[in-house]
Amino acid sequence: MAGRHYSAASAAAKAQRSPILLFSLSLVFISLIFYIFSSSSSSPSPSTPHDTTIRAAPNPNVDYSFVSSLEKFLINHKSKSSSRSLDDTVRGDVDERDVKRLDDLVSAEEEKRLYGGESSFYSPIRVYVYDMPSKFTYDLLWLFHDTYKETNNLTSNGSPVHRLIEQHSIDYWLWADLIAPESERLLKNVVRVHKQEEADLFYIPFFTTISFFLLEKQQCKALYREALKWVTDQPAWKRSEGRDHILPVHHPWSFKSVRKFMKKAIWLLPDMDSTGNWYKPGQVYLEKDLILPYVPNVNLCDSRCLSDSKRTTLLFFRGRLKRNAGGKIRSKLVMELNGAKDVIIEEGTAGERGKNAAQIGMRKSIFCLNPAGDTPSSARLFDAIVSGCIPVVVSDELELPFEGILDYRKIAVFISSSDAMQPGWLLSYLRSVSPSQIREKQINLAKYSRHFLYSHPAQPMGPEDLVWRMMAGKLMNIKLHSRRSQRVVKASRSICSCECRRPNSTIPVPFS
C-alpha cells in the first residue's frame, strides 16, 4: 500500500515537472535552430547568387598579375638548385633499347594500377614535367622580365608585344603551378611525378610566344629547331610519337616553322581557326587539342563593383575596327552600328589608357560586342566576362575553352554573321531581351568569372584546374591511340581516324 502511494506521488511530481522540462527543451531547440540559421546567413550557401559574386572577388593572398607573379617566381627560383636530381629526363643520345626499357616500365606501372583496385586506377592525373635547358625556360622568362617596360616594341598592327605575351601567358601559369612544392599547391586533380614510367602526360615547358616576339627571327627559328630536336629525342616522345605530350602554343604565330613535326602532341590553343590562315589541315582538332582562355586585359569587376555598376549603355565595343581574314566583319558591323542610340563603338588604343577606357566602357554596358578578329577568338571575350558585361559573340568559327564543362549559353549571346549584318536586326534583338534574362546572365557571369582568372597559386575551379579536368576526359583516347600505334603491323591498314567535317567541307580532321 505504501509502495503504491509512493508511486502515485512520484507520478504526480513527474506530471508537474513535465511542462517545465518540455519548456526548457523547447528553448534549447529554438536557440539551436537560431544559431544554425544565423551561421548560414553569415556564410551564404554556395548555390546562392549572392555567394557567387563574393567568390568572384580576388583573393588578396593570390597573385593574378602576370608581371607581379613572374617577379616573385624568378626571385624564388634564382637561388634554387636544379631539379635534375629529382627526375629522370634523358640528356644524351637514345636508341631503341631506351624506348623499349621505358615501355616495359610503363606497362608494369599500368598493370599495377589496373589490378591495384579502383582507388589506384582512378587517381589524379600524373604529369611529368621535362627539365629542359634554361634557354627554353628561365632565360626566356628573364628576357621578358628585363624588357617588359619597353614601349617601342610593337607588332605590325601596333599592338605592344609584351601585352600580347601576357594575354597568351598560359604556358607560365601552368608551369609555375606544376613545379611548385606539392605542399603549396591547391589543385588535387593533378600531381607532378618525377619518374617517366609513372606519368599519364608529359608537359613541355618551352615558352614559344616569348621567343617568337622577343628574339630575332633567325635566332627564334634556330631555338625552335633546338627545342624540337630536344623533345623528339626523348624516349617518352618516341614511344608515343608525342600523343601524350602537352605543347603550349597559345599564340597562333608561335612555333609555326616546326610545329608540323609535333602535330600529334596535345596543343594548348586560343582557338581552332578552321579558315586555314594559322593552322594547316590536320594539325589541330578538338579531339586532340585543348582551347584555353586568354589572360584578361582588364581587372575583375568583383561583387562591390557589380553592385555599384550603372549599366546605361546597351552595347559597347572598343578595339581595332579593321582586321584581316575572318575579322573583316568588324568594319561592316561598325558601319551598321555607328551612331545608334545607346551604342558606343570606339577605336582601341594601346597601353594603360586604352585598358582603362575599355574597362570603364564594359562596366557601364549591358552587352559587349565580340566580333571575330584576325582569328575567331580575341581576349575581348574574356575581358567582357570578368567585367560582368554580357558577350555578344559574332564569330561563326569560334571554339570556346572548357566547353565540355561550361555552358556559355548561360552567360553570352551567340549571333550568326548573316543575322548580325541585316540592317537593324542586332539592336532589335538585344532590345528584346527581357530584364529577367539579362539579370540571370549577369548572375551567371559573376559565377563564371573565376574560371578565367589565372593565378598563383592556381585556384580550384580556375582555368589551370579546368585544364586538367578536360585532360582527364582525353586520357583514355590518348592511351588508346598510343598503344594502337605500337602494335599495328606494317601490312595493316594503320590509319585510324575520328573525322569531324564542317558543313560543305571535304577536308576530314583525322585522329591518328
Side-chain angles (χ1 to χ4, degrees), residues 305-336:
C305 163
L306 290 169
S307 62
D308 291 346
S309 296
K310 302 295 185 290
R311 299 185 181 268
T312 55
T313 302
L314 175 68
L315 181 64
F316 175 80
F317 175 82
R318 180 181 175 86
R320 289 195 177 6
L321 302 182
K322 294 183 179 181
R323 302 299 271 178
N324 299 318
K328 291 179 181 178
I329 192 174
R330 283 196 190 181
S331 57
K332 297 177 182 178
L333 282 172
V334 168
M335 293 176 61
E336 167 65 22

Side-chain angles (χ1 to χ4, degrees), residues 132-199:
M132 297 185 75
S134 61
K135 61 184 173 182
F136 302 120
T137 56
Y138 291 102
D139 290 357
L140 293 172
L141 291 177
W142 277 109
L143 177 61
F144 177 92
H145 173 273
D146 294 340
T147 61
Y148 80 89
K149 292 184 180 179
E150 295 178 1
T151 57
N152 59 348
N153 197 350
L154 305 176
T155 66
S156 57
N157 63 18
S159 301
V161 297
H162 289 85
R163 180 58 213 149
L164 278 176
I165 291 169
E166 288 185 62
Q167 287 181 351
H168 296 278
S169 60
I170 59 99
D171 41 14
Y172 164 76
W173 297 106
L174 287 171
W175 188 53
D177 175 64
L178 285 171
I179 67 172
E182 199 60 36
S183 59
E184 298 175 10
R185 296 182 65 252
L186 303 178
L187 305 189
K188 302 305 178 186
N189 60 346
V190 58
V191 295
R192 180 188 182 188
V193 295
H194 297 282
K195 292 183 178 180
Q196 294 190 13
E197 66 266 23
E198 296 178 354

Side-chain angles (χ1 to χ4, degrees), residues 24 27 58 61 73 112 119 142 151 162 183 188 214 274 280 326 339 395 418 511:
S24 301
L27 284 177
N61 299 318
F73 176 86
K112 184 171 66 176
S119 59
W142 277 109
T151 57
H162 289 85
S183 59
K188 302 305 178 186
L214 298 185
S274 62
K280 301 298 181 184
S395 181
S418 58
F511 194 148

Side-chain angles (χ1 to χ4, degrees), residues 199-485:
D200 297 311
L201 298 169
F202 294 78
Y203 185 82
I204 303 169
F206 177 37
F207 292 94
T208 59
T209 302
I210 295 179
S211 49
F212 177 81
F213 281 112
L214 298 185
L215 296 179
E216 294 294 332
K217 186 175 181 179
Q218 294 309 315
Q219 186 184 9
C220 174
K221 286 187 174 183
L223 191 66
Y224 282 175
R225 289 192 296 270
E226 288 184 61
L228 172 69
K229 185 178 187 311
W230 192 95
V231 173
T232 56
D233 277 349
Q234 295 296 317
W237 177 278
K238 293 178 180 295
R239 176 183 172 272
S240 69
E241 297 181 287
R243 290 179 177 88
D244 50 7
H245 283 56
I246 299 170
L247 177 68
V249 281
H250 199 258
H251 194 283
W253 297 347
S254 63
F255 216 52
K256 203 169 183 179
S257 58
V258 298
R259 61 191 181 197
K260 64 183 178 182
F261 301 108
M262 302 181 78
K263 63 182 181 181
K264 291 184 180 179
I266 307 160
W267 292 6
L268 305 182
L269 304 164
D271 56 51
M272 291 284 138
D273 185 27
S274 62
T275 62
N277 291 310
W278 310 113
Y279 309 112
K280 301 298 181 184
Q283 285 187 347
V284 297
Y285 39 98
L286 285 175
E287 289 73 21
K288 173 178 76 75
D289 303 313
L290 197 62
I291 309 296
L292 268 66
Y294 291 66
V295 177
N297 188 37
V298 299
N299 300 326
L300 174 70
C301 186
D302 60 16
S303 55
R304 177 176 294 182
C305 163
L306 290 169
S307 62
D308 291 346
S309 296
K310 302 295 185 290
R311 299 185 181 268
T312 55
T313 302
L314 175 68
L315 181 64
F316 175 80
F317 175 82
R318 180 181 175 86
R320 289 195 177 6
L321 302 182
K322 294 183 179 181
R323 302 299 271 178
N324 299 318
K328 291 179 181 178
I329 192 174
R330 283 196 190 181
S331 57
K332 297 177 182 178
L333 282 172
V334 168
M335 293 176 61
E336 167 65 22
L337 298 171
N338 250 339
K341 183 182 178 182
D342 300 328
V343 175
I344 295 177
I345 305 291
E346 299 175 340
E347 179 72 40
T349 54
E352 283 299 311
R353 185 178 177 183
K355 170 186 171 180
N356 291 335
Q359 181 167 291
I360 291 170
M362 287 185 170
R363 293 184 180 188
K364 289 183 177 180
S365 304
I366 299 171
F367 296 100
C368 285
L369 184 63
N370 290 270
D374 289 345
T375 59
S377 66
S378 75
R380 188 171 294 99
L381 170 62
F382 309 103
D383 291 347
I385 291 173
V386 302
S387 298
C389 186
I390 301 169
V392 179
V393 180
V394 186
S395 181
D396 299 345
E397 304 295 335
L398 179 65
E399 300 292 351
L400 293 163
F402 317 133
E403 200 161 11
I405 298 171
L406 306 178
D407 185 352
Y408 284 85
R409 297 172 300 173
K410 294 183 177 180
I411 62 169
V413 175
F414 295 90
I415 307 293
S416 69
S417 299
S418 58
D419 284 341
M421 292 313 303
Q422 295 181 37
W425 190 94
L426 179 57
L427 292 183
S428 176
Y429 175 82
L430 294 180
R431 290 190 173 108
S432 72
V433 182
S434 69
S436 62
Q437 290 174 312
I438 290 172
R439 179 58 184 154
E440 183 180 0
K441 287 188 186 295
Q442 289 172 337
I443 289 171
N444 286 326
L445 281 168
K447 181 166 63 176
Y448 273 42
S449 61
R450 65 196 291 199
H451 305 314
F452 305 99
L453 296 175
Y454 293 92
S455 65
H456 192 74
Q459 298 296 295
M461 296 305 291
E464 301 93 335
D465 188 18
L466 296 193
V467 164
W468 302 114
R469 292 172 186 261
M470 291 292 291
M471 286 290 182
K474 294 179 180 290
L475 198 52
M476 285 300 104
N477 251 350
I478 292 168
K479 290 181 181 294
L480 182 156
H481 286 279
S482 295
R483 289 173 178 171
R484 184 181 178 281
S485 68

Side-chain angles (χ1 to χ4, degrees), residues 491-503:
S492 72
R493 294 179 61 193
S494 60
I495 297 175
C496 176
S497 67
C498 173
E499 295 187 358
C500 294
R501 296 177 186 268
R502 293 192 176 274

